[in-house]
Amino acid sequence: MEKKILELKKITKQFGGIKAATDVDLVVREGEIHGLIGPNGAGKTTIFKLITGLYSPTYGRVYLGGKDITRLPAHKRAQMGLSIKMQIPGVYEDLTLRENIRIAAQLYTGKKELEAEIDRLIKLVKIDDLGNPKVRNLSHGQQQWLEIAMSLASHPKVLLLDEPAAGMGPEETTFTAELVKDLNKQGLTIVFIEHDMDFVSLLAQNVTVLHYGKIFAEGDMEEIKNNKEVQKIYLGAV
Amino acid sequence: MKDKSKALLTSENIIFVVLLLLGLVLPTFTNAYRLSQYSYYYSMTILALSITLVWGYAGIFSFGQAAFMGLGAYIYGILSIAAGRDGFNIFALLIAVVIMMALGAALAYFMFYGGVNDVFVGLITMCFGIALQTFMGQTAGEEWQVLGVRLGGYNGLTGIPKISLFGFKLGDVAFYFFTFIILILVYAAIRYSKITNAGYSLTAIRENRSRSELFGFDVPKIQVIVFAISTGLAALAGVLYSVWGSYIAPDNLSMTQSTIPVVIVASGGRKNPTATVLFAILYYFLSGKLAASGSSLNYIILGAILIVVLLFIPEGLFSTLFSKMDKYILRRA
């Protein structure tokens, strides 16, 4: 077994009377691609916000590489190697492609190496044919890939992807899946949220199913696929 | 090499060089009184630049710049009058700026670490200005003295002394160059900072705060720093203003005084220091002409320009003009 890189222990988040996450335990191991799935409103994005520090938990703890990061602000967690691509592209629309990557990279790369680093990241996500347009003029898919490039700028230990293929056509989805696999092959641990089960089965080695803010099932892809209860909640029977 | 020289040929640079040359030769064809008016325009332009930095660059909408400016002027006035030695006044200027930066940092700390942002920053800074103006207005009594200097209520501080450098008191011409050089330095620093890491940090937090945090930016810290610098610049403008007019009064801290530079920056182009400088100098030049005829027409004209700009060219009059001119230059080159 590889060592734990990201771990949630009994994480609970309460908004007034509503529990968005209840006693969630999650273990992500170094080098894996971990899928976080569940129907709408299952609490997936809440979990991501708890991991990145945009929310602080009502109780429970978050560990990154064995370190307790529960009380650390979001920017410290980012500097420690936790990176995220948000669901709605979190790019700076009024700036150019290269400026976007520059902003994401400047905290992690010396001034002299910045241009080379921007080139490296653009090549890494294979958008080097786009030139340097204003990001507003890029397609939805291109913005998503750009954001992945930006989230790689911090040389993260763990990359969180919130619906990386949302709003993409079949070709773009395949491209994205290949990209994620490539990054994983280079050693990056990836956790992603996805609705589309086909996309999940393309990628995930291990899967955690959330339902009403609780862990519903866990296991490798095959187990989850054949789990009758999981099939039921996806068809709305439970 | 050719590419580099081409890149320098932008409308902003051309405007800057033209303004620089005009500023340098101005003393040769105007009288001392007119010249000293320009010292006033330049001081107010520095105030406008403090808003370009905090609002245009960092997206923090401060409505309290005139209050910071006024308070800086009060501090300079008190210190320089109390000291009574010309040689000390340049230090009084520096002390006023430093104190105001500390005050700005303290105010910003409570706002930004408390999670206050956007329109609420505007409200808090506005209330700060109104409270300060009201407070200074009631300081007419004998008991309101700082370092033996009476604050003077609505009459304000009068007889604020000139600045001396190397044993020479700065007269009209020397003071003109003093404000001119400070304006150029402030402008150059703000303009250059845009392409540095610091400048990009400001752009990042202006465009999307929570996203920038997830890229590792310490957003509240950056906000406190830029707010403090902007407060210091406003105080610097205030000191120069009070030296120019040799007085400062609560009227200078009013809402109107805080609004005008905001409108100037919004109309010229809030993300562009060159646009701010050009618009500010033109505005103060024209309003000086209009005020001489005893009307408040300048406010009406400024208001009308703002409405037109916000409706049709939201990026600002001059910054839009600059980018259009640049496209034209590029096509010709």
Side-chain angles (χ1 to χ4, degrees):
Chain A
M1 269 274 183
E2 295 295 328
K3 80 175 196 237
K4 296 172 190 172
I5 184 119
L6 178 70
E7 187 176 13
L8 306 188
K9 273 190 185 161
K10 297 258 171 266
I11 281 285
T12 298
K13 179 68 188 175
Q14 207 162 341
F15 295 105
I18 298 161
K19 274 190 173 173
T22 312
D23 290 335
V24 172
D25 288 309
L26 178 73
V27 172
V28 177
R29 293 185 183 278
E30 208 159 41
E32 73 167 320
I33 304 185
H34 196 113
L36 197 58
I37 66 170
N40 268 334
K44 303 181 297 283
T45 299
T46 304
I47 295 291
F48 266 22
K49 287 186 173 167
L50 287 161
I51 296 174
T52 53
L54 285 185
Y55 291 163
S56 58
T58 311
Y59 52 85
R61 312 219 69 87
V62 186
Y63 298 88
L64 180 68
K67 266 195 195 137
D68 188 346
I69 59 167
T70 316
R71 295 284 155 225
L72 287 185
H75 73 271
K76 282 262 166 64
R77 301 185 193 199
Q79 290 171 4
M80 286 173 66
L82 196 60
S83 215
I84 183 168
K85 190 211 75 65
M86 323 249 275
Q87 187 175 352
I88 301 156
V91 290
Y92 304 105
E93 288 194 336
D94 285 329
L95 307 181
T96 66
L97 188 148
R98 292 184 75 87
E99 281 178 318
N100 266 266
I101 301 182
R102 185 202 197 281
I103 286 176
Q106 71 176 31
L107 293 176
Y108 309 98
T109 307
K111 207 150 193 191
K112 280 188 190 135
E113 292 88 44
L114 253 176
E115 288 301 313
E117 173 69 358
I118 295 171
D119 290 331
R120 182 188 76 87
L121 289 163
I122 288 174
K123 282 214 183 78
L124 196 60
V125 300
K126 303 171 186 126
I127 52 171
D128 38 342
D129 53 340
L130 292 180
N132 190 27
K134 256 202 182 161
V135 165
R136 177 182 295 290
N137 301 324
L138 295 178
S139 78
H140 178 75
Q142 289 164 340
Q143 291 190 11
Q144 302 262 31
W145 300 323
L146 169 63
E147 198 186 350
I148 292 178
M150 291 164 80
S151 31
L152 293 171
S154 64
H155 308 282
K157 293 181 189 141
V158 179
L159 176 63
L160 308 174
L161 300 170
D162 194 343
E163 302 206 18
M168 285 187 180
E171 254 173 64
E172 288 178 322
T173 305
T174 315
F175 181 92
T176 307
E178 288 306 316
L179 178 63
V180 172
K181 271 190 203 163
D182 260 12
L183 294 171
N184 177 250
K185 264 187 207 145
Q186 294 168 36
L188 185 63
T189 309
I190 291 166
V191 186
F192 70 96
I193 291 176
E194 192 51 68
H195 270 296
D196 178 6
M197 277 307 275
D198 293 333
F199 186 81
V200 177
S201 51
L202 265 179
L203 279 182
Q205 295 144 2
N206 294 304
V207 177
T208 301
V209 186
L210 280 172
H211 192 41
Y212 291 123
K214 289 181 185 156
I215 302 272
F216 186 79
E218 279 177 292
D220 64 32
M221 195 59 227
E222 282 308 304
E223 288 174 57
I224 295 297
K225 253 189 179 169
N226 299 323
N227 185 323
K228 291 262 155 24
E229 297 295 312
V230 172
Q231 289 168 3
K232 263 190 203 163
I233 63 165
Y234 264 90
L235 297 169
V238 170
Chain B
M1 193 59 213
K2 209 179 166 200
D3 275 354
K4 248 191 183 161
S5 60
K6 243 187 222 170
L8 282 175
L9 195 68
T10 64
S11 46
E12 268 192 86
N13 286 343
I14 295 167
I15 296 281
F16 168 66
V17 171
V18 170
L19 286 179
L20 184 71
L21 293 176
L22 279 178
L24 285 174
V25 299
L26 190 69
T28 59
F29 54 81
T30 191
N31 62 36
Y33 169 74
R34 287 239 180 88
L35 196 63
S36 99
Q37 291 298 311
Y38 280 89
S39 302
Y40 161 62
Y41 306 159
Y42 295 161
S43 313
M44 300 314 281
T45 305
I46 294 170
L47 180 68
L49 281 172
S50 79
I51 295 173
T52 301
L53 178 69
V54 77
W55 182 39
Y57 277 23
I60 299 166
F61 186 66
S62 166
F63 234 132
Q65 296 305 104
F68 301 142
M69 168 179 162
L71 201 52
Y74 267 103
I75 296 171
Y76 171 81
I78 291 165
L79 290 175
S80 56
I81 293 170
R85 283 188 302 124
D86 286 344
F88 173 74
N89 295 348
I90 188 73
F91 298 104
L93 179 151
L94 294 174
I95 294 169
V97 170
V98 170
I99 291 178
M100 287 310 294
M101 283 180 77
L103 189 84
L107 184 64
Y109 176 84
F110 287 112
M111 289 194 295
F112 300 124
Y113 280 91
V116 174
N117 269 300
D118 304 318
V119 69
F120 299 102
V121 174
L123 288 176
I124 289 175
T125 48
M126 186 176 92
C127 291
F128 177 82
I130 293 171
L132 189 71
Q133 186 196 8
T134 313
F135 174 80
M136 295 314 287
Q138 55 83 55
T139 57
E142 191 89 36
E143 70 278 23
W144 292 102
Q145 293 191 10
V146 181
L147 302 175
V149 179
R150 281 183 63 174
L151 296 180
Y154 268 102
N155 294 323
L157 279 183
T158 50
I160 294 178
K162 302 266 175 243
I163 290 173
S164 290
L165 274 183
F166 313 114
F168 293 102
K169 199 181 253 187
L170 300 183
D172 284 334
V173 177
F175 187 64
Y176 168 84
F177 280 111
F178 187 69
T179 51
F180 184 63
I181 290 167
I182 291 179
L183 171 62
I184 301 279
L185 291 177
V186 169
Y187 161 82
I190 290 180
R191 211 182 136 190
Y192 174 72
S193 77
K194 196 166 192 164
I195 53 162
T196 63
N197 280 358
Y200 275 108
S201 309
L202 298 181
T203 307
I205 64 168
R206 178 189 71 214
E207 296 291 315
N208 191 340
R209 276 196 307 275
S210 70
R211 187 63 186 116
S212 303
E213 214 172 338
L214 295 173
F215 284 128
F217 289 101
D218 191 344
V219 175
K221 187 172 151 194
I222 297 169
Q223 288 177 312
V224 168
I225 294 171
V226 70
F227 195 89
I229 294 174
S230 163
T231 307
L233 287 177
L236 178 61
V239 172
L240 297 175
Y241 171 83
S242 69
V243 170
W244 166 77
S246 75
Y247 91 109
I248 186 76
D251 270 352
N252 298 114
L253 283 58
S254 70
M255 266 307 294
T256 316
Q257 295 306 317
S258 267
T259 310
I260 291 168
V262 169
V263 174
I264 286 173
V265 170
S267 306
R270 67 181 189 284
K271 297 173 196 164
N272 188 316
T274 316
T276 298
V277 169
L278 188 58
F279 199 98
I281 293 178
L282 278 177
Y283 168 77
Y284 283 106
F285 177 76
L286 289 175
S287 71
K289 296 263 176 231
L290 290 167
S293 65
S295 72
S296 297
L297 206 58
N298 51 334
Y299 293 154
I300 297 170
I301 293 173
L302 185 64
I305 292 175
L306 180 72
I307 292 170
V308 172
V309 166
L310 290 185
L311 284 177
F312 299 106
I313 25 179
E315 281 298 304
L317 187 62
F318 287 132
S319 35
T320 307
L321 205 63
F322 291 160
S323 58
K324 290 240 184 308
M325 277 162 61
D326 282 342
K327 274 188 192 144
Y328 180 77
I329 294 171
L330 265 181
R331 250 185 288 138
R332 293 292 298 263

